């Protein structure tokens, strides 16, 4: 349903009372998918309720099918109506959701109305008090950010598909089907381009519910950063010999484990080189269009990167499709970001929020949604529980312990981590499989003195490694802001030279330590933030500008990553 929709801001919150869900009049248009903010300067700083409307035609031939409306990301809160009938509601802007639609006109036009509310709240994921007062350092966009589409299925259909693979060719598929009668399931393994069928098998008399399929294939090429070999697992559902549904899932055969201070992919130790990223682009807002993603992945590859974290929310399907395709190792993170929590709440209020079982249930719900959406991706090798929590507080550390166990319960095949900025004071580092640390010594502290900042960071790292000698450590954030075109000799803060020198010295110092198994620069590209005294519209820690033009640090980092690759392989 990509295209132009009717749009209406509801500043006075009259839409519900006036029943706009049945249809409304407006001369404003908006493009979907994309955030509303930068599509019109008058909407840029708006937070609150806005309404979307689109009329669409459904052909008569689809009558008798089950109809579903699917959103890949919208919000923060979304309510949906079709033809004036309430369909469903969802909280959270970064995970997919969908609902069955009961009352549609086949062979005629239908109307969908969507109510989006992106009002900030301390109980949101992530929390905020206002557009410019938040616990997170990225802009709080509103709207239907990601694709929306209608899906039609038979009354017998595949409801879900969970796939586990190993680099030795082993496959386990949990196939959930819905049908009132026993069905046959045809399971096929096909090449990436679907030109050839490698293996196929039909299982008969499968009852509604879960069927577990296991198979070990010979001659399979594993998926890895160097060779991201992909296949298609095809599940077809037949009733009385007639095809009722089919699901095509792109998969890779790979293994992941953490052992003795290293991360192994396919039983080989890997070093994660890359970035923290954001989904942020001029006019599109929280939607990264396809051409931008293509450019990003070629730029990262050219620099020698092989990894990124989905800071600080799960990224779009297109984004992670590119990770599968290009062989990037992804740390998948839910929208649990608490970097600036002390700016919006005191310690007592923070403990109260994290102790609230209803709030934790909401966090678990978004974690479950994220895992369900991306569980079959070979690129996703690790889960980050959250970003920069107040984990020097015992109560918060216990929440991290609980959520890490919840990740392991839902998906035991991947290790867990969380991105900490509490250094030696952190009380939760022992509750996850991999330690991830964010350091800005030489920027937010020891400012103007990179050498002193590096020295302080390395001292903290030695102490953390002493306490947790068997855990691998990733530096998930380090960097300095640079304004494009601002130069200084000697390097001074905010200049391109200072950023380049900061990154070079960090990489040189950190790469000497065997217990460091990954370096993620913050950030790949400049991105929009709330308005604050310490930001100039954008967070300028990107090595590229917001429109993907390089700063001096790109050449420096490319050289450092390539040297690191040679050293690591030795």
């Amino acid at each position: 349903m990509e295209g132009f929709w009717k749009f209406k801001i509801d500043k006075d919150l009259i839409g519900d009372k006036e029943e706009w869900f049945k249809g409304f009049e407006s001369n404003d248009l908006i493009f979907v998918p994309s955030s509303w903010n930068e599509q019109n300067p008058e909407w840029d700083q708006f937070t609150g309720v806005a309404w979307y409307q689109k009329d669409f035609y459904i052909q008569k031939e689809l009558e008798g099918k089950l109809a579903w409306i699917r959103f890949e990301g919208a919000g923060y809160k979304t309510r949906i109506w079709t033809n004036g009938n309430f369909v469903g509601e969802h909280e959270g802007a970064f995970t997919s959701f969908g609902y069955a639609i009961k009352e549609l006109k086949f062979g005629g036009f239908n109307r969908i109305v969507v109510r989006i509310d992106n009002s900030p709240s301390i109980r949101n994921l992530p929390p905020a008090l206002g557009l410019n007062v938040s616990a997170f350092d990225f802009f709080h966009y509103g709207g239907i950010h990601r694709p929306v589409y209608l899906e039609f299925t038979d009354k017998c259909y595949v409801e879900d598909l969970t796939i586990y693979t190993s680099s030795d060719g082993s496959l386990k598929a949990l196939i959930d089907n819905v049908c009132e009668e026993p069905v046959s399931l045809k399971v096929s393994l096909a090449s990436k381009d679907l030109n050839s069928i490698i293996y196929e098998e039909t299982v008969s008399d499968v009852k509604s519910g879960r069927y577990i399929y296991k198979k070990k294939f010979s001659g399979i090429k594993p998926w890895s950063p160097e060779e991201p070999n992909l296949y298609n697992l095809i599940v077809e559902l037949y009733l009385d010999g007639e095809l009722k549904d089919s699901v095509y899932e792109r998969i890779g055969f790979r293994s992941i484990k953490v052992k003795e201070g290293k991360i192994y992919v396919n039983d080989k130790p890997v070093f994660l080189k890359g970035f923290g990223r954001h989904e942020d682009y001029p006019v599109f807002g929280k939607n990264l269009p396809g051409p931008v993603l293509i450019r990003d992945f070629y730029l990262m590859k050219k620099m020698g990167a092989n990894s990124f974290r989905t800071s600080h929310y799960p990224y779009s399907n297109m984004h992670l499709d590119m990770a599968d395709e290009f062989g990037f190792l992804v740390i998948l993170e839910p929208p649990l970001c608490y970097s600036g929590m002390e700016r919006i709440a005191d310690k007592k209020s923070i403990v109260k929020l994290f102790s609230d079982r209803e709030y934790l249930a909401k966090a678990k719900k978004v974690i479950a949604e994220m895992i369900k959406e991306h569980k079959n991706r070979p690129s996703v090798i690790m889960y980050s529980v959250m970003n920069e929590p107040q984990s020097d507080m015992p109560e918060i550390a216990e929440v991290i312990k609980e959520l890490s166990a919840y990740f392991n319960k839902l998906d035991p095949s991947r290790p867990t981590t969380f991105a900490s900025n509490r250094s030696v004071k952190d009380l939760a580092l022992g509750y996850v499989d991999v330690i991830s640390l964010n350091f800005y010594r030489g920027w937010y502290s020891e400012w103007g003195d990179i050498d002193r900042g590096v020295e302080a960071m390395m001292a903290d790292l030695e102490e953390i490694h002493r306490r947790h000698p068997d855990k691998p450590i990733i530096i998930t954030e380090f960097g300095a802001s640079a304004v494009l075109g601002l130069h200084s000799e000697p390097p001074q803060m905010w200049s391109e030279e200072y950023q380049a020198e900061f990154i070079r010295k960090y990489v040189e110092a950190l790469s000497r330590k065997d217990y460091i198994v990954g370096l993620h620069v913050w950030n790949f590209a400049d991105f929009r933030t709330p308005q604050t005294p310490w930001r100039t519209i954008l967070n300028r820690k990107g090595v590229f500008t917001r429109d993907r033009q390089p700063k001096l640090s790109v050449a420096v980092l490319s050289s450092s990553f390539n040297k690191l690759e040679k050293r690591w392989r030795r």
Side-chain angles (χ1 to χ4, degrees), residues 97-137:
F97 57 96
Y99 304 98
I101 307 174
K102 298 288 177 67
E103 299 178 26
L104 287 175
K105 301 170 189 174
F106 293 88
F109 279 93
N110 297 264
R111 173 168 291 172
I112 180 171
V113 175
V114 181
R115 181 189 190 270
I116 300 287
D117 183 358
N118 79 326
S119 301
S121 168
I122 198 167
R123 297 184 64 81
N124 283 0
L125 301 173
L129 296 182
L131 182 64
N132 298 314
V133 185
S134 66
F136 49 92
D137 187 34

Side-chain angles (χ1 to χ4, degrees), residues 184-408:
S184 295
L185 295 176
K186 183 178 180 181
V187 182
S188 307
L189 183 69
S191 59
K192 175 185 171 181
D193 56 12
L194 297 171
N195 280 342
S196 62
I197 299 295
I198 297 166
Y199 181 86
E200 62 183 25
E201 180 179 356
T202 299
V203 184
S204 303
D205 199 31
V206 177
K207 294 179 174 59
S208 183
R210 173 165 291 179
Y211 178 81
I212 300 176
Y213 177 84
K214 294 181 181 180
K215 181 70 179 177
K216 186 171 183 179
F217 300 96
S218 59
I220 291 297
K221 295 180 179 179
W223 183 97
S224 69
E226 297 78 22
E227 294 185 38
N229 297 299
L230 293 170
Y231 297 85
N232 282 283
L233 187 72
I234 307 169
V235 176
E236 296 172 304
L237 186 151
Y238 290 86
L239 180 63
D240 297 329
E242 182 181 353
L243 178 63
K244 296 294 183 179
D245 194 18
S246 58
V247 174
Y248 289 66
E249 190 78 341
R250 204 166 64 152
I251 64 169
F253 289 82
R254 68 105 183 92
S255 306
I256 174 74
K257 68 179 178 182
V258 175
K259 181 181 177 183
E260 297 176 350
K262 302 294 182 186
I263 300 172
Y264 293 85
V265 174
N266 305 336
D267 297 320
K268 296 179 181 178
V270 294
F271 193 97
L272 278 58
K273 303 174 297 173
F275 302 92
R277 288 175 53 81
H278 264 299
E279 291 193 330
D280 178 274
Y281 200 71
V283 183
F284 288 85
K286 218 68 197 138
N287 176 277
L288 275 188
V292 177
L293 286 170
I294 291 291
R295 181 176 177 86
D296 283 3
F297 276 85
Y298 277 114
L299 289 172
M300 289 191 292
K301 271 289 189 184
K302 185 178 180 181
M303 295 176 70
N306 66 1
S307 176
F308 63 86
R309 174 170 57 121
T310 68
S311 43
H312 302 294
Y313 40 84
Y315 290 171
S316 71
N317 281 309
M318 280 206 312
H319 203 145
L320 295 180
D321 282 347
M322 291 296 95
D324 291 338
E325 186 79 29
F326 280 78
F328 273 74
L329 305 172
V330 175
I331 301 174
L332 186 63
E333 186 169 85
L336 306 182
C337 181
Y338 303 97
S339 312
M341 198 65 190
E342 289 97 339
R343 292 197 295 267
I344 66 172
D346 58 25
K347 286 190 175 181
K348 184 178 179 181
S349 299
I350 294 171
V351 170
K352 183 179 179 181
L353 181 67
F354 275 79
S355 302
D356 187 325
R357 299 311 301 180
E358 186 177 326
Y359 183 77
L360 287 182
K362 190 189 317 189
K364 288 181 177 180
K365 181 175 182 289
V366 77
I367 288 168
E369 289 175 345
M370 178 186 77
I371 291 176
K372 182 177 181 180
E373 186 170 2
H374 301 298
K375 60 191 171 184
N376 296 333
R377 295 186 177 279
S379 60
V380 176
I381 64 160
M382 196 183 313
Y383 295 123
S384 169
V385 177
M386 60 180 68
N387 180 70
E388 296 188 340
Q390 289 61 50
S391 42
D392 51 350
M393 300 164 61
E395 300 87 348
I396 312 305
E398 284 302 307
V399 171
I400 294 168
K401 180 181 181 181
E402 179 179 340
L403 291 182
S404 181
Y406 185 67
F407 269 99
N408 288 326

